[in-house]
Structure formats: C-alpha cells, structure tokens
C-alpha cells in the first residue's frame, strides 16, 4: 500500500509527455473492472466496486474515487494487489493504490448497504476481518533503535510468548510501522499454529461490525464470535475515542479474551495516557499489558529502509542505477514518516521507469520530490526554516542566529533569511529580530541569495530542495 498522497500532474514538460501519466479514462476503468472480476469474482466486484471509479493513474499510483472513507480503506486493505495487477493488465504503469472520497452517489451507496431482513450477514461476515498483508513480515521490517523495542515485543508475541500479560499495545504516529508489525504478528502466529483463529480488524471496522450486530439484533452472536478467536488484532484504536458503546463493548471483549489467556494486540497513534476519549477501564486494561512506542526513524534508519526497499523492488527495475548520493538526498528530504519515504522512492522508481532512464539523476529526484506536493501549501514558521537549513547544511541553529562570520555559516544564514522572507508573511523587523540583524542586513542577504541562485547551480538546487521541503512538509 502506498501513502496517501495525491499523484500530481503537470509541472515538468518532459514528464508530462511520459506515457500513461495522465488521467485514466472510463474505458480503462471498464477494462480494469473486467480483470478484477476474473481475479476476485463477480460478487466481490459488485459488492465493493459498483460505486467506484478511477480518477487518475499517475506517478505509479492509481487513485480510486470511492463513496466513503470506510469503503476506500477496505478496498485498499483487501484488494490493493488485485487493483495494481488489473491496472497493469489495462496498460497503466501502476505500483500502488490510493483513494479519494467523493460525495457523488453517497446516499445511494448508504441506502444499498442498509441491512435488510432478507439479506442478513452470514455468521462469518458478522466478524469479517481484514486479509493479512503478506508483505508486512518481520523479515521485511528494518530495525533500528527507534523501533527496536516494538519489534522485539511484537516478535515475542508473534512467537506466542505472552509475558504473562497477554496483550500488547504499539503506539506511534502515522507511517511508522504499526500496521506492518501487527500483520507480522498475525502471520507468525497463524503460520506456526494454523489451527488458531487469528482476526485482524481496524478500529473502525470493529466498530462497523459491532454497530451492524446491534442494529441487526445479533449482538449475542457477535460476542460469541469475537470471544472464540485466539488472537485478536485491532489496528488504530484511536477510532474508539469518544465512542462510548464501542469502547465498552471492546473493553468487555478484551477482558474476556485476557481471562482465557488469549492474545490481544492493538495499535494506536497515542500513548495510553493521552487517549482521553477512552473509558478509564479500557485505559487501565491497556496499561496492564505491554505497551511500546515507535519513534520516527533517524537518518541512518531511513537510509537502511530505502536500501532495503530497493532490494525488495529490484526485480522490477533490474537495470536501474541509484547512487548513494541520491539515496541520501531522499533520506534527508523525507523525514519523519516511513510511508512517505517509501512513497517517494516508489514514485522515483516509477518515474524513471516511465522515462526509460537507467540512472536516477539528481535532476529527476528533485523534480519528483518537488512534484510530491499536497494540495494545501503551508506557510512554514521561521523555526522550521532555521531547523531545515541547519539540518541541510550541518550548521547549528545557534550559529545560524549568532554573529559568527565563518563563510559556510554566513552563507547558510543568508539562505535561511532569504527563505524566511520568501516563504513567510513575517515582517522585516520580525525576521530581523529572529536573526539578531537589522533591516538592511536582511535585505542585503535576500539580494545576495537571489544573485547566488543565478550564478551557482548547487546553491540553486539547495534552495529549491529546501523550499519544497518547507512548503510541502512531509512529517506526521
Ligand atoms: P502505520 O500503521 O504506523 O501508519 P505502516 O505500518 O502502514 O504505518 O507503515 C507504512 C509503510 O512503511 C508500510 O509500507 C511499511 O511496510 C513501511 N515501514 C514502516 N516501518 C518500516 C520498517 N522499519 N522497515 C520497513 N518498512 C517499514
Ligand atoms: Mg496503520
């Protein structure tokens, strides 16, 4: 699954000529759907894809238009591989999927999904979970100090070692590997003991199943089913926050499973103490189990992840050369979130593929990175600018704001001032006070950098990169 970024269009004239990069047509969608029917069967396609269409297939990503977030997430979690295969069958160079919710036909869709007396869910559908994603294994997870504790704990739970507590809660912000580890645990348990019932659901899917059971007057049946599983894995329990009924039901389930020495594995975006929207009993139950956090990967881990992903995808691009400098460039630009890092690399490889280039050049990297732009452009604050410039040039923030005239520091300072003037709406006195400089010095710096941009290619590239990173922040 790729990140939720919008594949974008236009910009570089060379790229816009690349084949299959523009909008996917209605005709494409019919071909894709026909192929999906062969892979998934007509019933699945009419259940899940009748309200779906394709918006675009650019940058290696097929963006589907769906009628609800739930529908999109479900399709993404369960049918991403088949969608990619079908897009490729239709001649679109696609490596991942994304979705966008459209309001069109929403009422019609919700009317269709309303349970009717004749069309009751079968017992298995009552607690239908997500299909495990084989790609998310312990082997494919790159370990560093940032995620080492979580990895160790997950692996031990995967091996059936319950530490006498029975439950594990993995928390961390978006894109740090929670879903990956959760799937890896489920796989390991299932493959070492195939008879175990292992259920993986997302928090909102659990809620959906529970609400359907209540409205369909099948709560007892639902409870029996949940309590009969051996391993219950629920991804993103922050969805439970503020949902009283679901939280209470889940807490009861959790308690019943724990009493029977069964395994409960959960993920969420926040540490337990910050989950104010959960009831006290559930929070204390979570705290009785093992809880581990995931931290954003540092540069070294980001580089190792990129290297690993390239190895994993090598067969798709056997002749492609990527220099260590390019990898470093990507690792330095996409900080914070592995999903975005992975998405950037995926797009880079896909774009090189379109252009049939054998080498990923810095120019191509720069284009793809600049192109990876969320629709809303943020105004960075001056601290963000100081931080980005200091990281980029390896100069401390203190020096950037200080008085030293050492050449590389003074140059970095001028660039920071230039960016502050150009990317923010802050006044000259405000910028001046941040850098302890008067108005004339600020204006002089801006002028110098403007000139430098015309005469020094490397400086121009540094600036474009910093600008794109600050305008389109990628962190969670
Ligand atoms: P989360 O659930 O925390 O939002 P995911 O588990 O979906 O994040 O991870 C996002 C993407 O990044 C996935 O494709 C996952 O495989 C990848 N990923 C995250 N951490 C790692 C890691 N340490 N090694 C390899 N891939 C990783
Ligand atoms: Mg996740």
């Amino acid at each position: 699954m790729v990140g939720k970024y919008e594949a974008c269009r236009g910009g570089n004239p060379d790229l816009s000529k690349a084949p299959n990069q523009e909008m996917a047509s209605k005709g494409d969608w019919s071909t894709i759907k026909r192929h999906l029917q062969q892979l998934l069967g007509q019933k699945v396609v009419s259940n899940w894809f009748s309200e779906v269409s394709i918006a675009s297939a650019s940058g290696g990503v097929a963006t589907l238009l769906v009628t609800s977030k739930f529908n999109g997430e479900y399709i993404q979690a369960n049918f991403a591989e088949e969608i990619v295969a079908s897009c490729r069958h239709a001649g679109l160079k696609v490596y991942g999927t994304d979705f966008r919710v459209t309001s069109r036909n929403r009422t019609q869709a919700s009317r269709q999904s309303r349970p009717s007396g004749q069309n009751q869910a079968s017992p298995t559908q009552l607690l239908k979970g997500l299909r495990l994603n084989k790609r998310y294994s312990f082997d494919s997870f790159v370990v560093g100090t940032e995620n080492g504790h979580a990895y160790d704990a997950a692996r031990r739970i995967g091996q059936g070692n319950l530490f006498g507590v029975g439950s594990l809660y993995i928390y961390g912000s978006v894109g740090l590997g929670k879903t990956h580890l959760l799937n890896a645990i489920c796989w390991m348990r299932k493959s070492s003991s195939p008879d175990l019932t292992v259920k993986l659901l997302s928090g909102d899917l659990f809620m959906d199943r529970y609400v359907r059971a209540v409205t369909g007057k099948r709560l007892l049946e639902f409870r029996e089913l949940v309590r009969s599983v051996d391993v219950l894995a629920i991804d993103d329990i922050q969805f439970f926050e503020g949902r009283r009924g679901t939280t209470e039901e889940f807490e009861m389930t959790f308690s019943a499973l724990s009493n029977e020495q069964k395994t409960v594995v959960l993920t969420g975006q926040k540490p337990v103490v910050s989950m104010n929207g959960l009831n006290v009993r559930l929070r204390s139950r979570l705290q009785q189990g093992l809880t581990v956090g995931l931290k954003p990967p540092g540069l070294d881990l980001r580089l190792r992840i990129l290297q690993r992903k390239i190895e994993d995808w090598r067969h798709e691009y056997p002749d492609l050369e990527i220099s260590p400098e390019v990898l470093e460039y990507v690792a330095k630009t996409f900080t914070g979130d592995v999903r975005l890092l992975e998405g950037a690399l995926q797009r880079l490889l896909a774009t090189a593929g379109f252009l049939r280039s054998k080498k990923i050049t810095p120019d191509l990297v720069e284009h793809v990175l600049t192109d990876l732009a969320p629709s809303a452009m943020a105004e960075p604050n001056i601290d963000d600018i100081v931080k980005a410039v200091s990281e980029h040039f390896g100069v401390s923030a203190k020096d950037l704001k200080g008085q030293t005239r050492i050449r590389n520091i003074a140059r970095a300072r001028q660039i920071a001032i230039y960016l502050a003037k150009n990317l923010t709406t802050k006044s000259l006195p405000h910028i001046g006070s941040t850098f302890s400089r008067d108005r004339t010095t600020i204006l002089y710096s801006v002028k110098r950098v403007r000139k430098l941009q015309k005469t020094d290619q490397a400086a121009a590239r540094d600036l474009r990169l910093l600008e794109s990173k600050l305008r389109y922040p990628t962190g969670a």
Side-chain angles (χ1 to χ4, degrees):
M1 207 178 353
V2 302
K4 281 187 192 164
Y5 47 77
E6 269 282 298
C8 37
R9 285 154 224 127
N12 183 319
D14 292 340
L15 286 173
S16 59
K17 276 187 227 135
N20 303 324
Q21 221 224 337
E22 290 299 313
M23 303 285 287
S25 69
K26 263 190 181 162
D28 287 334
W29 182 238
S30 318
T31 315
I32 294 166
K33 230 168 136 179
R34 266 200 305 279
H35 195 251
L36 277 173
Q37 276 184 4
Q38 284 170 17
L39 298 177
L40 299 167
Q42 212 209 315
K43 209 161 164 208
V44 172
V45 174
S46 69
N47 271 345
W48 289 100
F49 292 88
S50 59
E51 299 294 326
V52 176
S53 59
I54 191 163
S56 62
S58 68
V61 178
T63 301
L64 302 184
L65 286 176
V66 298
T67 48
S68 73
K69 186 162 173 269
F70 169 72
N71 197 9
E73 285 181 346
Y74 189 90
I75 287 177
Q76 178 113 321
N78 289 278
F79 311 125
E81 277 174 31
E82 286 83 352
I83 295 167
V84 169
S86 302
C87 286
R88 289 175 149 235
H89 174 79
L92 301 172
K93 285 250 176 187
V94 161
Y95 302 91
T97 63
D98 196 358
F99 66 85
R100 205 164 69 210
V101 179
T102 155
S103 54
R104 196 171 49 92
N105 294 339
R106 188 178 280 168
T107 29
Q108 198 187 336
S110 60
R111 215 178 293 135
Q112 280 176 355
S113 63
R114 201 171 291 157
S116 80
Q118 282 168 341
N119 192 13
Q120 284 236 322
S122 71
T124 42
Q125 279 176 329
L126 212 51
L127 188 62
K128 193 166 177 340
L130 296 169
R131 195 189 290 180
L132 298 184
N133 187 337
K134 270 194 204 161
R135 250 186 357 104
Y136 294 162
S137 65
F138 285 116
D139 284 346
S140 65
F141 194 81
V142 185
V143 187
T145 46
E146 300 86 336
N147 56 24
H149 288 313
Y151 174 86
D152 287 342
R155 209 174 164 106
R156 286 174 69 178
I157 292 272
Q159 286 160 346
N161 181 348
L162 305 186
F163 309 94
V165 289
S167 79
L168 170 67
Y169 174 61
I170 304 173
Y171 64 89
S173 58
V174 179
L176 298 186
K178 300 182 295 294
T179 301
H180 189 133
L181 287 176
L182 201 62
N183 271 271
I185 293 171
C186 293
W187 268 118
M188 196 177 236
R189 287 303 283 279
K190 189 74 190 160
S191 46
S192 59
S193 316
D195 294 339
L196 290 185
T197 312
V198 176
K199 272 280 168 205
L200 168 69
L201 290 101
S202 59
D204 56 350
L205 201 54
F206 180 90
M207 191 164 76
D208 173 83
R209 300 294 186 252
Y210 165 68
V211 170
R212 276 171 201 258
V214 173
T215 50
K217 301 199 175 6
R218 301 176 72 183
L219 190 55
L220 286 179
E221 216 180 317
F222 170 81
R223 286 185 175 152
E224 230 170 83
L225 265 175
V226 186
R227 281 154 214 198
S228 69
V229 307
D230 300 296
V231 178
L232 180 65
I234 304 208
D235 201 8
D236 287 323
I237 60 164
Q238 70 275 3
F239 280 114
F240 291 168
E241 282 199 284
R243 321 265 179 182
R244 232 180 88 204
T246 309
T247 312
E248 278 170 14
E249 183 65 29
F250 178 68
E251 197 274 318
M252 287 194 313
T253 306
F254 194 170
S255 141
L257 291 175
S258 301
N259 288 341
E260 290 184 39
Q261 319 293 314
K262 295 187 168 168
T263 310
V264 179
V265 199
L266 308 161
T267 72
Q269 288 180 358
K270 294 186 274 185
V272 180
V273 283
S274 312
M275 301 265 266
N276 299 325
L278 295 186
N279 73 28
V280 180
R281 284 224 306 276
L282 180 52
R283 273 193 281 166
S284 87
R285 190 162 290 289
L286 282 167
Q287 277 163 332
Q288 283 162 27
L290 192 66
T291 69
V292 278
L294 288 163
K295 294 204 183 88
L299 181 60
D300 172 66
L301 183 56
R302 295 203 298 276
L303 267 173
R304 287 194 291 123
I305 290 175
L306 285 177
Q307 278 152 355
R308 176 62 204 256
K309 302 278 166 190
I310 288 175
E311 264 171 49
D312 291 350
W313 299 330
R314 186 37 95 195
H315 63 281
E316 299 240 14
Y317 311 93
D319 305 326
L320 198 63
E321 255 182 66
I322 307 176
S323 69
E325 291 75 39
V326 163
L327 274 196
E328 197 174 318
Y329 203 60
V330 177
K332 279 189 169 162
T333 308
F334 289 83
T335 55
D337 178 341
V338 183
R339 182 174 299 159
L340 283 161
L341 186 70
E342 191 179 78
L345 180 66
Q346 229 164 2
R347 288 195 61 188
L348 206 51
L349 297 178
T351 314
F354 288 138
L355 299 177
R356 305 193 205 300
S357 66
K358 296 235 181 292
K359 201 166 172 187
I360 295 192
T361 59
D363 274 353
L364 180 66
V365 181
E366 206 183 300
H367 171 80
V368 173
L369 298 189
T370 317
D371 210 27
L372 200 60
S375 49
M377 222 165 68
E379 177 180 301
N381 63 41
I382 297 189
D383 282 342
D384 293 334
I385 294 175
V386 169
K387 189 162 170 262
V389 171
S390 110
E391 274 174 9
H392 189 83
F393 292 106
V395 169
S396 79
K398 199 165 155 230
D399 278 345
L400 275 185
K401 293 180 180 178
Q403 299 300 325
T404 181
R405 286 165 188 253
I406 297 171
R407 197 162 175 260
N408 66 329
I409 298 177
R411 163 75 61 88
R413 183 186 300 129
Q414 284 178 340
I415 287 182
I417 290 173
Y418 170 89
L419 290 169
K421 180 74 188 74
N422 278 290
L423 300 185
T424 76
T425 46
K426 295 283 181 286
S427 65
L428 281 177
H430 183 104
I431 298 172
S433 76
T434 307
F435 293 94
S436 315
R437 298 287 187 290
D438 62 25
R439 191 190 142 86
T440 335
T441 317
I442 299 293
L443 288 175
Y444 173 72
S445 301
V446 173
K447 219 163 125 192
R448 274 298 304 260
V449 175
R450 207 168 277 147
K451 224 172 177 178
L452 193 67
Q453 229 174 340
K454 294 194 188 122
T455 53
D456 183 335
Q457 272 195 1
R461 187 150 51 227
D462 283 337
L463 266 173
R464 271 204 299 277
L465 186 62
L466 279 164
E467 226 174 286
S468 124
K469 189 173 164 185
L470 287 159
R471 275 186 203 268
Y472 313 116
T474 53

